[in-house]
Amino acid sequence: MPDDHAAPQASRHALIVGAGIGGLATALFLVRAGWRVTLAEREESLHEVGAGLQLSPNATRLLARLGMMADFTDLAVRPQDMVVRRHDGRVLSRPVLGKAAEARFGAPFLVIHRGDLQKVLRQRAEKTPGIEFRLGHKLVDLRETESNVAGIFETASGGMERITADLLIGADGLWSRVRPLSGLPQPSSPQGKTAWRGLIPREAAPIFAREAKVNLWLGPNAHLVHYPVSGGEAVNVVAIIDEDWMEEGWNAPGDPDVLARLFASWGEDARALIAAAPRWNRWALIDRAPESRWSRGRITLIGDAAHAMLPFLAQGASQAIEDGASLAAHLGAAGSGSNLAPALARYDRARISRTARIQSGARAQGRIYHLSGPLAAARDMTLRLLPQNAALDRYSWIYGHDAENLSG
Ligand SMILES: Cc1cc2nc3c(=O)[nH]c(=O)nc-3n(C[C@H](O)[C@H](O)[C@H](O)COP(=O)(O)OP(=O)(O)OC[C@H]3O[C@@H](n4cnc5c(N)ncnc54)[C@H](O)[C@@H]3O)c2cc1C
């Protein structure tokens, strides 16, 4: 097993496992903080998979500091508002997201295809000196000593490779390998809900769905979210339904007849949208109870590997980006000493409390979204009576947060 990545004493070297959204962003933040990074990813190429993601100001302000906002111009869409409807189409509320929200939080809300976000981050990382990619590297084990940590990888060519660094960061997502190897429990909690994703080319999408808006429809035991992505060239639709089904992965095919039946009593626009999707893929929604630690020795976690969360506050990608910025800020503030433990402990403290609050907020939101009967009627009445921007006021602690502010 060759060891061609031993870290020189002078330069601190992080090995990030997983070149998803969190891993790529963390690499950029760490290089800015003076680290050298190896990004090891099990896929041989970073092909553009997944569907739409929402990035809120708490994440876009961090990407803006990396000088990346111009990279998003042609790919991301800036939604002007969010339209919340009952399943029959009646509008319940319409918080403003455009320039007013940007002025309030100091950074924009964006919606973007996951593949586009990954591409923008990858291209930036490829151009950044100090980041080296090791694609086709699947982490299978790790070894830790007092002075370093090594990831052991199966490579796409069938060999094994050992990469040594000062710090190993598990950015390997929902079904993380690093997590159990660092002694944290792996079993996740399926929530009895699945997300069905369709991507509709712009010209095939109903006109109302092409506008730069985030749309949320609430119905009994299901809800629907849609918004344009890929610079407006496609409409991303996600239907979340109550369903007991569990499989690893993001791309299991879904039977369109199942959705058509489930949404048969919804408003005409909702049904037209569902009928327009050329195919559906589904995945099981999973979250985890918060941990008391993410870091142990020279190993730590970010993103879904650390704090898988339900998507009802649309914070999965934004929190992974926050983790990376916060980790780099804590490591940067600690200077170049070899004892990482105090900085990692501070990172854990800062991030676990915040992400735990978001995890529990997302669970609560999911229950509210899927209400039926009189409770749903009470929810709808409340939404209609609240001030227009009540949702932004309620979650200003999420959107206004600065993960690089170590005193906050
Ligand atoms: C293929 C895919 C499609 C997705 N689609 C959606 C979507 O449509 N909507 C949505 O809300 N969220 C989606 N997600 C999840 C979303 O990207 C994350 O919730 C969020 O961005 C947090 O990112 P993360 O970096 O923690 O994890 P991820 O973005 O999931 O990245 C994890 C990375 O680690 C790699 N990896 C895993 N195991 C190993 C290993 N043993 N060795 C090396 N590398 C490894 C994976 O290949 C992946 O590139 C998707 C994730 C993936 C991987």
Side-chain angles (χ1 to χ4, degrees), residues 181-373:
L181 287 171
S182 79
L184 287 176
Q186 182 58 330
S188 310
S189 344
Q191 293 294 305
K193 289 185 170 44
T194 55
W196 293 53
R197 175 243 303 166
L199 207 56
I200 311 172
R202 178 186 163 81
E203 56 290 355
I207 305 276
F208 78 93
R210 301 179 192 175
E211 292 171 26
K213 296 176 188 306
V214 174
N215 297 270
L216 169 65
W217 298 66
L218 304 176
N221 309 317
H223 75 279
L224 200 57
V225 180
H226 59 95
Y227 45 79
V229 291
S230 304
E233 289 308 308
V235 173
N236 176 69
V237 191
V238 178
I240 310 249
I241 63 173
D242 289 352
E243 183 185 26
D244 275 321
W245 171 84
M246 174 64 214
E247 223 174 69
E248 271 194 21
W250 299 95
N251 279 320
D255 177 353
D257 292 342
V258 170
L259 273 201
R261 270 197 304 278
L262 271 167
F263 285 84
S265 64
W266 286 47
E268 197 183 331
D269 281 349
R271 285 184 281 123
L273 190 73
I274 284 176
R279 75 186 68 81
W280 291 93
N281 293 95
R282 64 178 171 158
W283 67 89
L285 297 190
I286 285 170
D287 75 351
R288 294 193 176 94
E291 303 295 343
S292 56
R293 67 148 183 98
W294 295 344
S295 304
R296 191 199 68 186
R298 293 176 172 275
I299 303 162
T300 193
L301 301 171
I302 63 148
D304 284 355
H307 51 65
M309 53 181 56
L310 298 174
F312 305 123
L313 291 177
Q315 282 294 308
S318 293
Q319 289 308 307
I321 292 167
E322 277 195 18
D323 291 339
S326 170
L327 177 61
H330 281 99
L331 290 169
S336 56
S338 64
N339 183 10
L340 301 175
L344 293 178
R346 282 194 286 273
Y347 162 70
D348 279 11
R349 267 199 305 281
R351 297 302 303 159
I352 290 175
S353 54
R354 175 161 167 83
T355 51
R357 190 175 172 196
I358 293 173
Q359 284 172 306
S360 86
R363 277 192 178 201
Q365 191 83 306
R367 286 191 292 273
I368 293 168
Y369 280 1
H370 286 207
L371 289 173
S372 53

Side-chain angles (χ1 to χ4, degrees), residues 54-113:
Q54 300 184 45
L55 289 179
S56 44
N58 45 310
T60 56
R61 78 163 47 83
L62 302 169
L63 298 173
R65 285 187 197 136
L66 290 174
M68 292 192 64
M69 290 320 279
D71 303 0
F72 292 111
T73 306
D74 294 335
L75 297 171
V77 171
R78 292 184 180 222
Q80 294 310 305
D81 53 14
M82 177 168 185
V83 185
V84 184
R85 295 183 183 85
R86 205 164 66 174
H87 65 286
D88 59 5
R90 177 168 186 183
V91 174
L92 300 172
S93 77
R94 199 185 276 267
V96 178
L97 295 182
K99 287 219 173 325
E102 182 170 349
R104 174 174 180 182
F105 295 113
F109 282 86
L110 298 181
V111 286
I112 186 165
H113 191 289

Side-chain angles (χ1 to χ4, degrees), residues 1-7 13-17 38 40 137-154 160-170 177-178 181-182 296-300:
M1 234 187 284
D3 184 354
D4 56 352
H5 281 73
H13 175 208
L15 169 60
I16 300 180
V17 179
T38 302
H137 278 56
K138 179 181 173 191
L139 183 97
V140 289
D141 205 353
L142 47 84
R143 299 270 182 279
E144 199 186 353
T145 68
E146 223 164 82
S147 57
N148 64 36
V149 59
I152 317 264
F153 295 88
E154 266 173 23
M160 300 293 284
E161 188 174 338
R162 181 187 181 109
I163 303 177
T164 307
D166 300 300
L167 174 66
L168 185 147
I169 301 167
R177 183 81 186 116
V178 176
L181 287 171
S182 79
R296 191 199 68 186
R298 293 176 172 275
I299 303 162
T300 193

